[in-house]
Amino acid sequence: MTNQTKIWNVSTTINEETIQEAAALLRDQQVVAFPTETVYGLAADATHEAAVQRIFEAKGRPADNPLIVHVGNRDQVEQLVTEIPEVAHRLMDEFWPGPLTLILPSNHTAAQNVTAGLDTVAVRMPSHPVALQILQAAGLPLAAPSANRSGRPSPTEAEHVKQDLDGRISGIVDGGPTGVGVESTVLDCTSEIPVILRPGGVTKEDLERILPEVMVDPALVDQKEQPKSPGMKYTHYAPESPLWLIEGDDDFFQQQLLHIKEENRRTAVIASNELAGKLDHDVITACGSRENLPEIAGQLYRALRQYKKADIDVILCESFEEKGVGAAIMNRLQKAATQKITQH
Ligand code: TXA
Ligand code: MG
């Protein structure tokens, strides 16, 4: 499975030659990573089981975790599903191309390992120009999970993809850092009232402007519930060092940091600019203002990847308000955390 991974750089201008080369590899059943507006994806022909199998192998992904099929136009959706409910049409009109994935009834055109044998298929049209141009040039629906080794934080830069998958995939199209920084929202449209299975770039508040009612998968709030989205049950987004999620005010955070430093543990901090400004500590990643959650989302995975086991014993991370994209940020941090310390 080791081969040369070709890297193209289109971060300043997108050249047609690169797009055609990547598309040709994909038509040839190879796997190629490219940027979407959320995170980098690792793509393969969604209608071809052996091609899709290469994604699972490169990532080390459990076979029961289905993939999102990316499309370059709406006709491709029609080719994948038995029907498109009225509500899905409205959502596509409003949010596509963009970070919203819709779960629809599958007609089994997508390879069976894409849907992990389910009767539904996840579809989304990304808005990143590189992703859209490759999809259009390939003329295929492309299965594409995040381009990380399974369990690691998703890649928001080509360098992250390289760290995880160099030598395991055919190519990486480097389009610079992605924008949104957390993955798409996964919305189940097969039930009467649509259900958020994974919070993401399109927020619940955004959806509520369009839909009379939106539900949230109970497994997202209660860890005893079985999630409906198979991927949500796995360890995810884990940095190399243990991550402690601190739930409390800034004073509480400062106290926790002091305790740990007294134990002589090498500690890193991931925090908002506001909290970072108050701490007397030298290893801090400030991810943006807590008043600007999209900015925090954009920086989060880079921050999680940044600290290496050899240098850092524990990462302390601030908790953020669960409004807007804050719901996605906190969902990822809860999964990444090895421990939570809550102020009472
Ligand atoms: O932003 C994104 O969505 C990125 C970029 C590359 O597009 N992709 C991504 O894919 O995050 P992945 O494979 O890392 O996450 C897909 C999620 C998983 O939680 C999976 O369980 C869920 O979507 N999913 C896929 N098909 C499903 C289905 N038929 N029913 C329920 N959940 C499904
Ligand atoms: Mg993923």
Side-chain angles (χ1 to χ4, degrees), residues 66-82:
L67 309 179
I68 296 171
V69 180
H70 295 63
V71 297
N73 59 58
R74 295 248 200 134
D75 289 345
Q76 285 179 332
V77 181
E78 312 252 0
Q79 288 161 26
L80 294 161
V81 304
T82 56

Side-chain angles (χ1 to χ4, degrees), residues 36 38-42 59 61 65-68 70 99 101 103 114-115 118 120-122 124 126 144-148 154 182-186 197-198 228-232 236:
T36 80
T38 56
V39 300
Y40 276 74
L42 180 62
K59 282 183 59 95
R61 182 173 173 114
N65 190 4
L67 309 179
I68 296 171
H70 295 63
T101 295
I103 306 293
V114 169
T115 56
L118 298 173
T120 54
V121 62
R124 101 167 179 100
S146 48
N148 51 284
S154 298
V182 290
E183 299 85 344
S184 64
T185 302
V186 178
L197 304 185
R198 177 178 75 178
K228 253 197 103 186
S229 180
M232 300 299 283
H236 255 108

Side-chain angles (χ1 to χ4, degrees), residues 1-264:
M1 243 221 326
T2 34
N3 50 6
Q4 280 278 86
T5 299
K6 181 156 185 180
I7 297 179
W8 303 267
N9 193 322
V10 297
S11 51
T12 43
T13 41
I14 304 175
N15 67 68
E16 184 57 23
E17 219 173 272
T18 297
I19 300 293
Q20 290 302 336
E21 225 182 305
L25 282 170
L26 290 161
R27 279 195 302 267
D28 198 26
Q29 320 304 339
Q30 300 304 305
V31 291
V32 176
F34 56 70
T36 80
E37 73 280 21
T38 56
V39 300
Y40 276 74
L42 180 62
D45 179 351
T47 64
H48 197 282
E49 185 153 351
V52 172
Q53 188 53 31
R54 295 201 170 98
I55 294 178
F56 283 91
E57 280 163 17
K59 282 183 59 95
R61 182 173 173 114
D64 69 345
N65 190 4
L67 309 179
I68 296 171
V69 180
H70 295 63
V71 297
N73 59 58
R74 295 248 200 134
D75 289 345
Q76 285 179 332
V77 181
E78 312 252 0
Q79 288 161 26
L80 294 161
V81 304
T82 56
E83 58 157 339
I84 302 180
E86 162 56 23
V87 59
H89 280 293
R90 265 188 289 147
L91 291 164
M92 292 182 207
D93 288 341
E94 185 67 23
F95 298 108
W96 279 14
L100 179 66
T101 295
L102 304 176
I103 306 293
L104 297 170
S106 171
N107 67 8
H108 303 285
T109 297
Q112 96 99 31
N113 51 353
V114 169
T115 56
L118 298 173
D119 287 328
T120 54
V121 62
V123 287
R124 101 167 179 100
M125 189 189 292
S127 66
H128 196 293
V130 172
L132 272 180
Q133 287 180 35
I134 291 174
L135 278 160
Q136 276 147 14
L140 292 167
L142 297 173
S146 48
N148 51 284
R149 289 296 293 249
S150 221
R152 302 258 297 139
S154 298
T156 52
E157 294 170 28
E159 182 55 34
H160 303 161
V161 182
K162 201 163 162 245
Q163 284 164 8
D164 281 15
L165 300 174
D166 196 19
R168 305 177 67 86
I169 61 177
S170 294
I172 302 171
V173 183
D174 180 353
T178 61
V180 178
V182 290
E183 299 85 344
S184 64
T185 302
V186 178
L187 186 70
D188 185 355
C189 296
T190 63
S191 49
E192 190 63 29
I193 301 169
V195 185
I196 296 175
L197 304 185
R198 177 178 75 178
V202 169
T203 67
K204 182 162 188 273
E205 293 87 335
D206 293 332
L207 294 169
E208 281 166 345
R209 282 191 287 109
I210 307 301
L211 303 175
E213 223 177 332
V214 192
M215 299 204 328
V216 173
D217 185 355
L220 291 176
V221 270
D222 181 351
Q223 284 169 359
K224 288 189 289 292
E225 295 282 332
Q226 177 77 6
K228 253 197 103 186
S229 180
M232 300 299 283
K233 67 174 182 282
Y234 293 106
T235 316
H236 255 108
Y237 318 108
E240 285 190 14
S241 310
L243 181 91
W244 294 9
L245 188 59
I246 310 298
E247 300 180 315
D249 59 26
D250 290 354
D251 288 341
F252 183 71
F253 195 102
Q254 266 170 309
Q255 286 163 20
Q256 299 312 310
L257 180 59
L258 272 177
H259 284 317
I260 294 185
K261 286 168 76 166
E262 279 162 11
E263 294 168 1
N264 284 324

